[in-house]
Amino acid sequence: MSVMANSTKIRPLGRLIDKANSPFWVIGPDGRLVFLSAAVGDWLTVEPESLIGRRCLAGTSITDDPLDFLAASLAPPPGILKSGTASLLIQPTFPGAKLRRIAALDTRFVRLGQGDESITLAVAGSFQDHLADPVIDAAVVLRRQLDSWRRRHETIAQGVSVGNSRLAQRLGKQIRLAGSVRSDVLIVSPPGCFAESIAASVHQCSAAGEPIATIDGPLMDAELLDASLAAVIAHLADSETSTATAILKGIDQTPLEAQLRLVEHLRESTHRLRLIAIASDSAVVSSGADTEPNPELDVFLEASLPVGITPPLADHLCGLTIRLHPLADRIADLPMIATAMLDRRRAGGDGLADRFTRAALDAMVIYPWPDNFRELDQAIRHAMRSCPGQVIGLEHLPLAIRSYRPNESVPKQQQTIDLDQVVAQFESDLIREALESSAGNRAEAARKLNISRARLLRKLESIGDGDSP
């Protein structure tokens, strides 16, 4: 392999290019070859170093030197300086005493830079981009939609908020509003909707750099709450202008004692301690109905607030509310959400896949997602680790998703029936009823059963009633 320059900075790049096993070359601003990968030498059956510095311009005069002829055959088509990109089928020939034909390869040219300082990169191989591929076409459309959404929503959290549906647009407005002011916020969310990431995003947008404490409400008592808030309380004590934020998870399940202690901290801080609370949506009052206080727990039902929040704490949270909806209510957004999660997983090194097949997307759309966005994220992680290539198919999804069938009746469990035993029991019941109705007279019972008395006696012996009167 030849080198572009003596600088060691190009050597790691050259090693990666050589590992790709695709012919790659670079044409300098003066139209001369400045770099050729080892694969170019394999393709042309010459040493790449022998072509360095030779002119590589379309239409240049060719000397008698066969290497000049080869170098010129690698030139991009006319117009590359204006168009910036070009494609060309290159089939070099090696002139000489014996004409040697070289395999033709599709080549893509890309110009970098402007004017006299621009260089041209070329890579040769077998490309299929001229053929229609429904999977790629659909992925491109989805990618454009996602990129457009990202440009319009640079300041809000991705993942849960991705999409163009009405619910997604409302959620985006709520997050932007909450992130534009430093105010107490209530996030009402079903499980598995990444409410904590929304809370962190709101905090980052509205008060970046402000100290933050995250509290697991259901595990709190008054003393443990004080310990969890100790750092931010100490920060507030340093200065009368200091501010801090507390994110309280599961506020509706937080013990009453801890809620009342939190109210004390909020009042003592005179609004310098901001509260972002996360509550479950499983017990939310849908309208402002008149509700009486609960004398046992001293909790009340504020309109549109979850059950279990004390009145003074509810007063802090009666302003800004962000409502997250189950993934099943946002099926129209699922392809974009899944693509955004796929991007994040790929960036994190979970796999190489960059798109889904239509069958995989269809399976994800019809699946009910009981654990919401968290389950979708886990399914994509599973699919990426199961997929050896760049396209996630139906077979790479978890079994529960790819085997789900909506509205499919569950077959009843088959029970084994002993026909002989059932018939014998039925016959025994008929005989007993006939004997009872005949007051034990066997001849009369036989007539009612339309059988002989002797046959009735044999039947009685077989069922163990031979001693019956």
Side-chain angles (χ1 to χ4, degrees):
M1 182 193 76
S2 63
V3 294
M4 184 185 297
N6 292 328
S7 172
T8 58
K9 295 180 179 180
I10 198 62
R11 290 174 182 170
L13 174 61
R15 287 194 291 268
L16 290 175
I17 292 173
D18 285 342
K19 287 182 179 180
N21 293 324
S22 294
F24 176 83
W25 62 97
V26 180
I27 305 169
D30 59 354
R32 297 179 182 275
L33 290 167
V34 295
F35 176 84
L36 298 100
S37 69
V40 174
D42 296 337
W43 175 38
L44 302 178
T45 64
V46 297
E47 289 296 328
E49 289 85 351
S50 63
L51 299 178
I52 293 293
R54 297 182 184 271
R55 295 183 64 82
C56 184
L57 296 174
T60 55
S61 58
I62 305 300
T63 68
D64 293 336
D65 190 338
L67 295 178
D68 283 339
F69 190 95
L70 274 180
S73 67
L74 301 178
I80 185 67
L81 294 179
K82 181 178 181 180
S83 64
T85 61
S87 300
L88 184 66
L89 180 64
I90 292 181
Q91 185 172 22
T93 56
F94 204 113
K98 295 183 65 176
L99 187 65
R100 186 165 80 246
R101 302 192 68 83
I102 302 171
L105 291 179
D106 287 332
T107 305
R108 302 294 184 264
F109 296 91
V110 177
R111 174 180 52 80
L112 299 182
Q114 299 292 330
D116 296 338
E117 299 300 322
S118 65
I119 63 175
T120 302
L121 310 182
V123 58
S126 178
F127 302 97
Q128 302 295 326
D129 52 359
H130 62 286
L131 300 176
D133 188 328
V135 174
I136 294 180
D137 291 345
V140 169
V141 172
L142 196 56
R143 181 72 56 186
R144 288 172 179 169
Q145 293 175 346
L146 181 58
D147 290 343
S148 176
W149 183 91
R150 285 170 171 163
R151 287 193 296 270
R152 299 194 311 270
H153 304 87
E154 294 180 354
T155 60
I156 68 176
Q158 298 185 13
V160 175
S161 54
V162 168
N164 295 320
S165 68
R166 287 185 60 193
L167 290 179
Q169 293 176 13
R170 291 172 60 183
L171 176 59
K173 290 179 180 179
Q174 291 174 347
I175 295 176
R176 284 193 297 273
L177 176 60
S180 65
V181 294
R182 186 185 178 279
S183 174
D184 297 317
V185 181
L186 174 65
I187 302 175
V188 182
S189 169
C193 287
F194 298 127
E196 286 184 58
S197 66
I198 297 294
S201 176
V202 168
H203 169 70
Q204 182 64 26
C205 292
S206 59
E210 185 175 284
I212 186 172
T214 301
I215 306 167
D216 199 343
L219 303 179
M220 290 293 111
D221 56 24
E223 294 183 1
L224 188 56
L225 179 71
D226 289 340
S228 301
L229 291 175
V232 297
I233 296 300
H235 173 75
L236 294 175
D238 290 341
S239 170
E240 294 183 354
T241 60
S242 299
T243 57
T245 294
I247 295 180
L248 178 58
K249 300 183 295 181
I251 184 173
D252 52 322
Q253 301 174 27
T254 302
L256 178 64
E257 173 189 19
Q259 289 192 43
L260 295 177
R261 180 61 63 87
L262 178 59
V263 171
E264 293 179 10
H265 288 302
L266 292 170
R267 288 174 176 171
E268 291 173 358
S269 68
T270 60
H271 302 292
R272 290 185 295 127
L273 177 61
R274 187 260 299 267
L275 175 63
I276 301 178
I278 301 172
S280 169
D281 70 343
S282 58
V284 178
V285 181
S286 59
S287 62
D290 293 332
T291 52
E292 296 295 330
N294 184 331
E296 297 180 358
L297 298 177
D298 191 27
V299 297
F300 77 120
L301 305 180
E302 180 69 23
S304 300
L305 284 180
V307 174
I309 301 179
T310 59
L313 196 53
D315 291 340
H316 284 271
L317 300 171
C318 62
L320 292 176
T321 300
I322 298 175
R323 292 193 175 276
L324 305 181
H325 293 268
L327 181 56
D329 292 345
R330 295 182 51 197
I331 290 303
D333 297 324
L334 190 144
M336 283 181 60
I337 295 171
T339 301
M341 291 181 173
L342 180 67
D343 288 349
R344 184 174 62 83
R345 287 286 176 188
R346 187 174 68 253
D350 282 334
L352 301 176
D354 60 4
R355 59 191 183 275
F356 301 94
T357 65
R358 172 51 57 187
L361 286 175
D362 288 345
M364 290 190 287
V365 164
I366 66 175
Y367 185 69
W369 301 108
D371 199 24
N372 296 304
F373 298 84
R374 178 169 53 205
E375 186 178 7
L376 175 61
D377 186 51
Q378 292 171 351
I380 291 174
R381 179 183 61 181
H382 172 92
M384 291 194 72
R385 294 178 177 179
S386 302
C387 177
Q390 294 181 297
V391 186
I392 292 178
L394 179 62
E395 67 276 12
H396 302 129
L397 296 175
L399 178 61
I401 299 172
R402 66 175 185 263
S403 62
Y404 176 76
R405 298 294 182 272
N407 303 321
E408 186 177 79
S409 60
V410 179
K412 295 182 179 180
Q413 185 176 2
Q414 296 293 329
Q415 296 181 350
T416 302
I417 299 176
D418 190 331
L419 180 61
D420 293 337
Q421 182 179 358
V422 172
V423 172
Q425 183 63 43
F426 181 71
E427 187 178 72
S428 175
D429 293 340
L430 288 178
I431 293 174
R432 292 180 188 277
E433 290 178 5
L435 286 171
E436 290 177 2
S437 64
S438 302
N441 188 322
R442 297 177 179 178
E444 179 66 22
R447 284 193 294 271
K448 288 183 177 182
L449 295 172
N450 198 27
I451 60 176
S452 66
R453 186 175 182 276
R455 184 178 177 187
L456 175 60
L457 293 176
R458 289 195 298 271
K459 292 288 186 183
L460 289 173
E461 290 178 0
S462 67
I463 62 176
D465 282 359
D467 296 333
S468 299

